[in-house]
Amino acid sequence: MEAHGDAVWDICWTAKDNAVVSISADGVIKRWNSTSGQVMRTAPPHTLGLVSLSVSTDGGHALYNSIDGTTFLSDLESGEIVGKHESYTRSAGEPCKSLCSVHPTLVYH
């Protein structure tokens, strides 16, 4: 099992295959097999910690936020980032902010 290198800040179960998705202060999102506990996919790390997470109802995508205010949409099967939005730019000394973890309805085109 490949544990996170820092605190886990959010987890979500996927309804589709009963996997678990986790994000961490180490900047990594992982998808785990909930039966074996083995990592199914690890996305390349972000430069800062990830702070909140939501998974689509079909278990195919994750929406998560970095401590720098960037929101990512990731395809959980491929591990690819398919969308990114920078909601604000932090200035030096400004406290960290994040979006609340909610379970959004994701619309695909």
Side-chain angles (χ1 to χ4, degrees):
M1 183 167 19
E2 305 165 36
H4 282 285
D6 207 333
V8 173
W9 285 350
D10 211 346
I11 61 169
C12 287
W13 291 88
T14 64
K16 177 180 166 187
D17 58 5
N18 207 29
V20 176
V21 179
S22 61
I23 58 168
S24 173
D26 63 8
V28 176
I29 180 170
K30 292 181 180 261
R31 186 169 180 239
W32 304 79
N33 179 306
S34 64
T35 304
S36 70
Q38 296 299 308
V39 175
M40 298 162 57
R41 176 164 309 278
T42 299
H46 298 279
T47 55
L48 294 172
L50 304 177
V51 295
S52 64
L53 169 70
S54 293
V55 175
S56 63
T57 55
D58 68 0
H61 292 83
L63 186 69
Y64 54 95
N65 304 296
S66 174
I67 204 165
D68 69 355
T70 306
T71 300
F72 298 92
L73 178 62
S74 178
D75 181 312
L76 290 174
E77 293 296 322
S78 70
E80 303 269 334
I81 294 174
V82 295
K84 178 179 170 182
H85 175 72
E86 294 179 21
S87 55
Y88 65 89
T89 302
R90 273 188 350 151
S91 60
E94 181 182 350
C96 301
K97 302 175 190 171
S98 72
L99 298 174
C100 286
S101 179
V102 295
H103 296 280
T105 301
L106 301 176
V107 179
Y108 308 101
H109 298 280

